[in-house]
Amino acid sequence: MLLASLAGFAFSRIPFRGRNILFWIILAGLMVPGQTLIVPLFTQMQSFHMVDTYWGIILPQLVSPVAMFIFKQYFDGIPAELEEAAILDGSSRWRVYWQIWMPLAKPAIATVAIFTFVTSWNNFIWPFIVITGNDMMTLPVGLATVQTSFGIRYAQIMATAILGGIPALVVFIFFQRQIVSGIAGTGIKG
């Protein structure tokens, strides 16, 4: 979330040369399916000796163009006068970001946090590829392993699936207001 919010702040409030082109390139990256990046990512993780490590699972998921887009759209909706007043009072851009924009962006933070959690929690393909041992399996990978190694045992598969879905359901129930306000706050402004 920190990287996405910093990028969203930069694209929203800091004028630099090539900003629009870079923003559109990042948005074009949303159109590339994640499955097309599996082979290059695995090759890269293998060359960094990160296969079968936690870093091998985490690093490819650190940067999210969707999260950056949500933050940028949310920051675009905040009046620029707040930033101008803070800069006139002697604040640096970092202080404006950290003490003004981030407290105002709580709905966007909640939305990105929940989407990131659910996406990471349900991710199957990347952990399945990058993990080779049984001791680091994620829940979706473990569920697929139970299904294939012991035959089809429907009761155990359903019980594991329900237990795996409970954390995402609990997060959604507790933060559904933040999700709705965060998504509504990132809409296109006219």
Side-chain angles (χ1 to χ4, degrees):
M1 286 190 323
L2 180 67
L3 294 174
S5 64
L6 283 169
F9 177 73
F11 281 117
S12 178
R13 298 297 179 186
I14 300 173
F16 57 90
R17 193 163 59 164
R19 176 174 74 168
N20 291 334
I21 294 170
L22 185 59
F23 180 69
W24 284 106
I25 289 171
I26 291 173
L27 286 184
L30 290 173
M31 291 184 250
V32 176
Q35 293 82 355
T36 60
L37 301 174
I38 287 175
V39 173
L41 277 175
F42 184 78
T43 306
Q44 192 173 29
M45 291 299 125
Q46 203 170 27
S47 68
F48 292 153
H49 304 291
M50 291 187 183
V51 173
D52 208 20
T53 65
Y54 288 117
W55 286 111
I57 299 171
I58 295 169
L59 281 179
Q61 301 179 58
L62 271 182
V63 180
S64 170
V66 174
M68 186 272 311
F69 178 74
I70 290 172
F71 276 114
K72 186 215 180 283
Q73 292 299 107
Y74 195 85
F75 290 149
D76 283 347
I78 298 174
E81 290 81 18
L82 291 172
E83 180 181 7
E84 292 168 3
I87 289 175
L88 284 175
D89 287 341
S91 295
S92 65
R93 284 212 189 265
W94 173 254
R95 188 168 181 185
V96 168
Y97 162 77
W98 193 250
Q99 291 186 341
I100 295 174
W101 295 119
M102 290 310 286
L104 290 173
K106 285 182 184 175
I109 292 170
T111 302
V112 169
I114 292 165
F115 284 160
T116 303
F117 171 76
V118 170
T119 302
S120 299
W121 184 261
N122 292 330
N123 193 359
F124 170 76
I125 191 75
W126 181 248
F128 182 72
I129 290 172
V130 81
I131 295 172
T132 57
N134 290 337
D135 54 333
M136 293 182 57
M137 280 188 191
T138 61
L139 190 68
V141 174
L143 183 61
T145 303
V146 167
Q147 183 177 354
T148 58
S149 62
F150 298 111
I152 298 176
R153 296 189 175 182
Y154 292 107
Q156 289 87 351
I157 292 170
M158 289 308 197
T160 308
I162 288 172
L163 288 175
I166 288 175
L169 182 65
V170 168
V171 166
F172 178 76
I173 288 171
F174 281 118
F175 296 107
Q176 63 185 342
R177 284 193 178 132
Q178 286 84 359
I179 293 172
V180 171
S181 65
I183 292 172
T186 60
I188 297 174
K189 318 270 185 294

